[in-house]
Amino acid sequence: MFKQLIASAFFCCLAATAALAQDDPALFTVDGKPVPVSEFKYIYSKTNQDKADFSEKSLRDYLDLYTNFKLKVRKARDMQLDTVVATQSELEGYRRQLAKSYLEDKEVTEKLVREAYDRMQQDVDISHIFIACDRNAKSADTLRAYNRAMSWLSKIKGGSPFEIVAMDSSEDKSAKENKGNLGWVTAMLPDGYYAMEKAVYTGKPGAVVGNVIRSNAGYHIIRVNGYRPARGEVEVAQILFRKVADNPTKTAQAKVRADSLAAAFRNETAKWDEAAAKLSDDKQTAPKGGYIGFFGINRYQKNFEDAAFSLEKDGDITPVVVETSIGYHLIKRISRRPIGAFETMKKALNDRVKRDSRSEIARQSIIARIQRDGNFQQFPNVLADWTARQQDTVFLTFRWKPDPAKPSAVLMQYGKDKIFTVADFEEYAARASRERMRGSGYPLAETVQKLYKSWSDDVALLFEESQLDKKYPEFRSLMREYEEGILLFEALKINVWDRANTDSVGLEKYFNQNLKDKYKWDERARVTFYTLKTDDPKALETLRKLAATKSSAAVLKKMNKKKDMVAVLEKTYEKGKNKDLGTLWIAGTMTDAKTDIGTKTATFIKIEQIIPPASKVLSEARGYAVADYQDYLEKQWIEELRKAYPVKIDEKVLKSLVR
């Protein structure tokens, strides 16, 4: 990124990319290589913004900067810096990153984001009957699970009570108790449950969804029980009286204590924070007034959730005790947070959608468009013939290798020129060894089809990426900007920055000839910091008397005879650069002593000497000197480049820009 900024620092190089044509003549050439007027005009406007007045002086000044930039880039190419592996790797990494935004169906993604937000406005009460079947199960096992689900769905449609079928047949163990009722849910459902989410948000209250629904875990028969406005989130605190397992007496006592406190709150004879700290069995939250924080639906047990959301105002406390499996709760509402505005939530939802498997919808949409626009053709008979020649005992193991003869039969192609053969597919299958061997036990043709689909999807995206320069001028511009930024950085590093830092002889000569009187010290004070390692006032008085008339070395010799009582530190400060000195600026004066009770020490500063203004030597101004030397070397370098690469400006084109 820093390398890109180097280019941007010169001229915010977000270059336009219009090709040379009759209506886009070259403004100038660098050693015969043209730079179109549209590119310069765009960069000039972008860099100068409101100050881009298109006066002749302004245009010529900026043209000088831009030609210097192009000269440096030209030199970098002659140095073959564009062929360095590290440079190419960095550029390719940037290209892949930039390409991602062009390989998305933004319209479909935006619809998915809006869809998720709209669904979040409602909670849905649902029941289900579950048939377990892993997403990666064999096709035969998947079919058996599907058929079982369909038979139960037919049973329900035929009049069998949903709850009875759920209790008798559902493989969700909780169905025995809840009769299949999952309670209230809200979008977005967990990853892998998008089809279920779609079904429950489009179902009619009281009705069973017309078909079985597939999720990552298996098949579901869904009934939508009802809708309500989304609860959002509530912020609460609690006081807990915990139940004691296998001890009914202590559990009953906990209930009595909880009821007693509830009555005290109703009568306003108890204070919440005090009661939480003293009485709550939730030791983690008790010191914080029982604070739990925000939560939404399905976070806690239903009784607790319903009670918390039933509180109408901030500060309200549940009038009666709320019982859960762990104990008896009193709940205080702190605040309520509804579903946020779409614009507020849009970015977070967009990120969630992209991480969710539903994003595959957008991915497949862009792949379909790429294939349609790219005149995609595939030859399934060739794939079928190839599949028939494979042996599952070899293909589905690590022993399988691509045919060294590299079969040239065409499996698919884009247009007439972009052809992908059986050999290309075999190479992909070899790389995808994990996916290939995962097919062990499955029909070989099924595994081949999965591999082929993954390969053809990847090929589509790679094909589109290879076309981005041709299809999107702004992509081509950004890539050129970044490439030239990298080249500029590397060329400057070699020809200017590294040289300025390592050429000590040249730096010293330049400093003595040009900078000797440029960098100066203001008036300075040489000071001594005294630290007394005791809080004895008599010792401090003795130290200050000695420091007032003697050198620091003499003071140390006198004070540290028996033990190490005094430490000194000498420093030099420019006037106004040390706040402890304040307005004190006379040699021989001392600041008041500061005592530290904690460390039992006392400190003060003595001004030993006032040093008059003076020029800095090279070692004192090295950082500034190196920067000046870099500027000097860069100017020299530009002069050399202008001699090596002639710049020709089309005055007629330049004057046509003047307003």
Side-chain angles (χ1 to χ4, degrees):
M1 181 57 69
F2 178 66
K3 297 177 183 181
Q4 185 181 6
L5 290 175
I6 292 297
S8 300
F10 275 83
F11 33 70
C12 295
C13 190
L14 196 66
T17 58
L20 279 173
Q22 289 183 351
D23 58 346
D24 191 16
L27 174 60
F28 67 95
T29 61
V30 176
D31 199 26
K33 184 172 179 58
V35 177
V37 69
S38 61
E39 179 183 324
F40 175 81
K41 184 178 178 182
Y42 184 85
I43 296 169
Y44 168 81
S45 300
K46 185 72 175 181
T47 305
N48 293 283
Q49 298 185 14
D50 294 341
K51 296 180 180 179
D53 59 6
F54 285 85
S55 65
E56 184 169 351
K57 182 181 185 307
S58 173
L59 289 167
R60 289 190 182 278
D61 287 346
Y62 195 75
L63 179 59
D64 187 56
L65 289 174
Y66 198 53
T67 52
N68 287 345
F69 168 76
K70 288 292 188 179
L71 284 164
K72 295 168 189 173
V73 172
R74 172 58 192 272
K75 177 62 176 179
R77 294 191 190 281
D78 276 2
M79 294 169 68
Q80 297 187 330
L81 296 178
D82 53 340
T83 66
V84 175
V85 173
T87 300
Q88 292 178 335
S89 178
E90 183 177 354
L91 188 62
E92 184 57 32
Y94 177 76
R95 181 186 177 90
R96 286 195 299 270
Q97 189 66 29
L98 181 61
K100 284 182 181 179
S101 62
Y102 291 85
L103 299 177
E104 294 177 359
D105 192 321
K106 292 184 175 64
E107 184 177 347
V108 173
T109 300
E110 287 175 5
K111 286 180 179 178
L112 289 169
V113 170
R114 171 54 80 171
E115 175 187 75
Y117 178 78
D118 290 344
R119 288 174 178 173
M120 290 171 67
Q121 307 310 304
Q122 289 187 306
D123 299 334
V124 191
D125 183 9
I126 64 171
S127 296
H128 84 145
I129 298 169
F130 175 61
I131 303 89
C133 182
D134 187 84
R135 179 67 77 178
N136 295 316
K138 299 175 184 178
S139 56
D141 294 338
T142 301
L143 181 60
R144 276 193 294 271
Y146 174 78
N147 287 335
R148 285 171 61 207
M150 287 301 295
S151 68
W152 294 346
L153 179 61
S154 297
K155 206 173 181 181
I156 293 167
K157 287 182 176 179
S160 295
F162 188 97
E163 289 79 4
I164 299 300
V165 176
M167 293 173 67
D168 291 344
S169 306
S170 180
E171 294 176 4
D172 181 345
K173 294 179 181 179
S174 67
K176 299 292 182 186
E177 295 181 4
N178 61 26
K179 300 178 182 179
N181 182 242
L182 295 176
W184 295 94
V185 299
T186 193
M188 298 168 50
L189 292 189
D191 191 18
Y193 287 81
Y194 177 65
M196 179 186 285
E197 180 186 303
K198 183 177 181 180
V200 303
Y201 274 97
T202 54
K204 295 180 179 179
V208 175
V209 173
N211 205 345
V212 297
I213 305 300
R214 185 73 160 103
S215 74
N216 280 356
Y219 289 98
H220 307 258
I221 300 168
I222 304 291
R223 185 180 69 190
V224 177
N225 301 318
Y227 296 90
R228 72 181 180 198
R231 278 185 163 175
E233 292 182 314
V234 64
E235 183 185 23
V236 304
Q238 70 149 350
I239 297 174
L240 169 66
F241 295 88
R242 200 178 296 277
K243 292 179 179 179
V244 182
D246 302 324
N247 195 324
T249 300
K250 288 189 176 181
T251 295
Q253 290 171 350
K255 174 70 162 61
V256 170
R257 297 202 316 273
D259 286 336
S260 176
L261 183 58
F265 284 136
R266 289 195 299 272
N267 296 327
E268 299 182 356
T269 58
K271 294 183 178 179
W272 180 272
D273 287 351
E274 290 180 5
K278 293 179 181 179
L279 303 174
S280 181
D281 289 332
D282 184 349
K283 300 306 179 185
Q284 187 174 357
T285 64
K288 301 180 289 185
Y291 183 74
I292 293 175
F294 282 99
F295 69 91
I297 66 172
N298 293 327
R299 173 84 174 273
Y300 297 115
Q301 292 180 32
K302 186 176 186 301
N303 287 356
F304 188 95
E305 178 189 312
D306 288 345
F309 278 98
S310 69
L311 296 169
E312 294 182 357
K313 300 190 301 294
D314 295 349
D316 281 359
I317 300 171
T318 47
V320 295
V321 172
V322 179
E323 182 178 1
T324 68
S325 63
I326 65 170
Y328 305 97
H329 310 257
L330 290 166
I331 306 169
K332 177 183 178 181
R333 169 172 153 171
I334 298 171
S335 70
R336 183 83 177 263
R337 185 162 64 191
I339 303 298
F342 178 69
E343 289 304 320
T344 303
M345 300 184 66
K346 184 177 179 180
K347 184 181 185 306
L349 281 174
N350 188 70
D351 292 342
R352 285 184 66 185
V353 164
K354 287 182 177 180
R355 292 194 304 269
D356 191 88
S357 57
R358 72 187 70 197
S359 63
E360 184 64 16
I361 297 171
R363 183 171 179 268
Q364 290 301 320
S365 174
I366 194 74
I367 287 170
R369 181 184 64 75
I370 292 167
Q371 291 176 342
R372 182 181 63 252
D373 295 348
N375 297 319
F376 176 70
Q377 298 178 68
Q378 51 188 335
F379 304 94
N381 291 339
V382 176
L383 181 63
D385 291 344
W386 180 85
T387 304
R389 294 194 298 272
Q390 305 306 310
Q391 298 178 9
D392 55 3
T393 55
V394 177
F395 183 73
L396 303 177
T397 71
F398 68 90
R399 291 182 289 118
W400 181 84
K401 296 289 186 290
D403 186 345
K406 296 188 178 300
S408 59
V410 178
L411 272 177
M412 59 184 182
Q413 66 185 67
Y414 283 87
K416 296 180 180 179
D417 302 324
K418 206 69 175 176
I419 293 172
F420 300 91
T421 66
V422 168
D424 296 324
F425 176 59
E426 287 187 340
E427 183 181 332
Y428 175 83
R431 292 197 307 271
S433 56
R434 182 177 299 178
E435 290 76 11
R436 181 165 44 80
M437 289 187 284
R438 194 178 288 159
S440 180
Y442 294 80
L444 184 140
E446 187 176 317
T447 300
V448 170
Q449 284 297 328
K450 286 182 180 178
L451 286 168
Y452 176 78
K453 178 67 169 74
S454 296
W455 176 59
S456 62
D457 286 354
D458 287 354
V459 165
L461 295 173
L462 288 171
F463 171 75
E464 180 70 359
E465 186 178 334
S466 71
Q467 305 298 304
L468 294 178
D469 297 86
K470 302 172 186 174
K471 296 176 69 172
Y472 302 104
E474 67 276 13
F475 179 86
R476 187 165 63 249
S477 297
L478 288 168
M479 285 306 302
R480 184 184 66 201
E481 171 196 352
Y482 196 81
E483 181 188 21
E484 292 185 343
I486 293 174
L487 294 177
L488 174 66
F489 178 90
E490 296 297 339
L492 280 169
K493 185 175 182 297
I494 294 169
N495 291 282
V496 177
W497 301 333
D498 287 351
R499 184 178 163 193
N501 280 298
T502 58
D503 182 11
S504 56
V505 174
L507 174 62
E508 184 173 7
K509 181 179 179 182
Y510 180 76
F511 182 85
N512 291 332
Q513 291 179 348
N514 302 281
L515 306 176
K516 200 170 183 180
D517 297 319
K518 180 176 181 180
Y519 299 107
K520 297 179 179 292
W521 289 113
D522 196 355
E523 197 172 50
R524 289 171 291 164
R526 183 172 60 82
V527 304
T528 302
F529 285 80
Y530 284 93
T531 301
L532 178 66
K533 303 174 184 178
T534 176
D535 58 355
D536 183 354
K538 289 184 178 180
L540 177 60
E541 184 180 357
T542 300
L543 173 61
R544 287 181 66 84
K545 284 181 179 179
L546 288 170
T549 58
K550 297 186 179 296
S551 68
S552 59
V555 171
L556 288 174
K557 187 176 180 180
K558 185 76 172 176
M559 293 293 295
N560 291 344
K561 278 184 179 180
K562 295 181 180 180
K563 61 178 181 179
D564 189 14
M565 289 183 62
V566 177
V568 298
L569 178 67
E570 294 189 354
K571 287 193 173 183
T572 302
Y573 292 103
E574 281 189 283
K575 194 171 186 177
K577 298 295 177 66
N578 183 281
K579 62 181 181 181
D580 291 327
L581 291 175
T583 58
L584 206 63
W585 202 254
I586 301 174
T589 56
M590 296 185 295
T591 63
D592 293 334
K594 293 182 180 179
T595 57
D596 188 319
I597 298 174
T599 60
K600 294 184 178 181
T601 60
T603 60
F604 62 90
I605 306 172
K606 178 189 176 185
I607 299 179
E608 303 285 359
Q609 177 189 7
I610 299 299
I611 305 170
S615 296
K616 292 182 180 181
V617 298
L618 177 58
S619 60
E620 294 171 327
R622 183 175 178 81
Y624 297 107
V626 167
D628 285 336
Y629 191 42
Q630 286 175 347
D631 291 342
Y632 168 73
L633 291 176
E634 187 172 357
K635 288 176 182 176
Q636 276 195 327
W637 186 41
I638 290 171
E639 289 177 7
E640 293 170 4
L641 294 178
R642 285 187 175 271
K643 292 176 183 177
Y645 308 115
V647 174
K648 293 184 179 180
I649 299 171
D650 190 320
E651 288 291 332
K652 184 177 179 182
V653 174
L654 176 61
K655 289 182 178 178
S656 71
L657 295 174
V658 178
R659 295 177 186 171

